Amino acid sequence: MMKTDFRHEPRYIIILAMLLVAAFFLPNWLRFLLQTALAGGLVSLGVVLQMRAGQVNFGQGLWYCLGGYAVGMLSAKAGITDVALLLPAAVVVALIAGVGMGVMLSRYREIFFAMLSLAVSMILYGLLVKAAWLGSTDGFNIPPVSYFGWLPDRAVRPDVTYAMTASLVILACVIVARYLKSGAGMLCEAVAENEIRLEYLGASSRRVVFFAVFTAAGISGLGGGLLAISTGHVDPLMTNWTTSGSFVFVALLAGRGSTIAPFLGFFALEVVQTYALDFAPNIWQMILGAVMLAVILLLPDGLWSLVQKRTKA
């Protein structure tokens, strides 16, 4: 497996910021696709964090859904519609759940870690499906949100929402990059490579895994909140196993060599799926599967390995 090197990470984040600014000139439908990909990319970034510690979370949609439903319930049920309160609430709710799940998951490894996380996310899915007051399987719509007391006009609302999403994604990339370059972040690699030796050195592998889960929960909750605001809708599918599986696949597809890789991978996957569904609605799953298989066979370290090889050259 290709080693990760974060010396060039500030440069990559700046490039991502420039690309996101340039996206203002894209067609509205394509920019909305990018906006939803940014929200989903945050969740895939959380998966990458745990993969660096050698663990794969098949229930990452749990925190994604909690963040989305926190925004939805506060805005649609409690009448709180300002992002200054909604998004922090989404992160806090996900972090609270992350504390409990982190304590539990840090005791397990490999398939037990993956299956336990998946089981808890499906429990939440079952509860939401049975909750008629939350719309059951259909979910519910949320009203337009305000920005620090300002409710933008309908014409400029997509621009404001995109600008907020892009800004928060850049901020999240900076925070996660600093975490991965810190001592705590570097210990994640040690857990994946030789957990016993790490314990001999006096570090707690359970604590390292806990903080990886905790951090992943926070950024995934933010992603869920951003998606709820972008689409104006939440539903139980946000925590279904298919949704969680897509986050894991994007993490594998993009690679874990950079904090911006999950966003590029998620956007590439969304574009391929959109065009495949448009040009071949009856076999779009086959086309998507063929593209995925080609990437796995030709680039086992993910799409970002192309950038790493070029950087090394």
Side-chain angles (χ1 to χ4, degrees):
M1 181 177 292
M2 185 172 291
K3 293 293 183 179
T4 54
D5 186 359
F6 288 91
R7 290 178 298 174
H8 304 287
E9 198 64 15
R11 181 199 308 173
Y12 296 147
I13 295 176
I14 292 174
I15 292 174
L16 176 64
M18 295 172 62
L19 292 175
L20 294 180
V21 172
F24 273 104
F25 301 98
L26 293 175
N28 291 335
W29 71 269
L30 188 57
R31 192 176 66 190
F32 178 76
L33 199 66
L34 173 60
Q35 184 173 318
T36 57
L38 291 175
L42 283 172
V43 191
S44 293
L45 181 59
V47 175
V48 170
L49 278 176
Q50 295 165 92
M51 288 174 62
R52 287 179 60 83
Q55 312 305 317
V56 181
N57 193 323
F58 280 100
Q60 197 70 18
L62 170 70
W63 298 299
Y64 179 62
C65 182
L66 288 175
Y69 267 80
V71 169
M73 293 176 68
L74 285 176
S75 58
K77 308 297 183 181
I80 300 174
T81 59
D82 200 289
V83 295
L85 297 175
L86 294 177
L87 290 180
V91 175
V92 169
V93 169
L95 287 177
I96 292 174
V99 171
M101 287 294 294
V103 171
M104 183 167 53
L105 290 176
S106 63
R107 302 176 58 185
Y108 300 94
R109 299 292 182 269
E110 299 177 351
I111 189 63
F112 305 103
F113 182 99
M115 291 298 100
L116 181 58
S117 60
L118 176 60
V120 176
S121 69
M122 290 307 296
I123 290 174
L124 177 61
Y125 174 77
L127 293 175
L128 293 176
V129 166
K130 298 296 183 182
W133 66 286
L134 290 177
S136 187
T137 57
D138 295 328
F140 59 94
N141 294 328
I142 63 177
V145 299
S146 59
Y147 298 85
F148 299 95
W150 171 56
L151 183 62
D153 294 334
R154 189 181 188 89
V156 300
R157 195 176 301 155
D159 298 334
V160 176
T161 306
Y162 172 77
M164 177 194 66
T165 302
S167 301
L168 290 176
V169 164
I170 295 299
L171 178 61
C173 286
V174 172
I175 294 174
V176 172
R178 291 185 63 86
Y179 168 74
L180 292 176
K181 290 177 66 176
S182 68
M186 292 180 181
L187 286 177
C188 290
E189 293 274 359
V191 172
E193 293 182 3
N194 196 322
E195 186 173 342
I196 296 178
R197 182 175 296 178
L198 179 65
E199 294 284 353
Y200 285 159
L201 292 175
S204 171
S205 59
R206 288 182 58 179
R207 185 176 301 174
V208 173
V209 174
F210 169 82
F211 277 108
V213 173
F214 181 75
T215 306
I219 61 177
S220 298
L222 176 61
L226 288 173
L227 184 82
I229 292 174
S230 299
T231 61
H233 183 79
V234 292
D235 59 67
L237 285 177
M238 296 179 71
T239 189
N240 196 24
W241 67 271
T242 54
T243 305
S244 296
S246 67
F247 296 136
V248 175
F249 181 79
V250 168
L252 296 173
L253 175 71
R256 59 190 186 96
S258 171
T259 56
I260 76 171
F263 303 100
L264 301 180
F266 212 107
F267 181 61
L269 185 64
E270 288 289 323
V271 169
V272 171
Q273 180 176 335
T274 300
Y275 278 102
L277 185 60
D278 184 35
F279 291 111
N282 296 324
I283 59 170
W284 70 271
Q285 295 98 333
M286 184 182 300
I287 297 175
L288 187 62
V291 173
M292 295 176 180
L293 183 61
V295 172
I296 291 173
L297 292 177
L298 299 176
L299 298 171
D301 290 319
L303 294 173
W304 193 256
S305 62
L306 295 173
V307 179
Q308 287 183 305
K309 290 176 181 178
R310 183 177 179 84
T311 302
K312 288 183 179 181

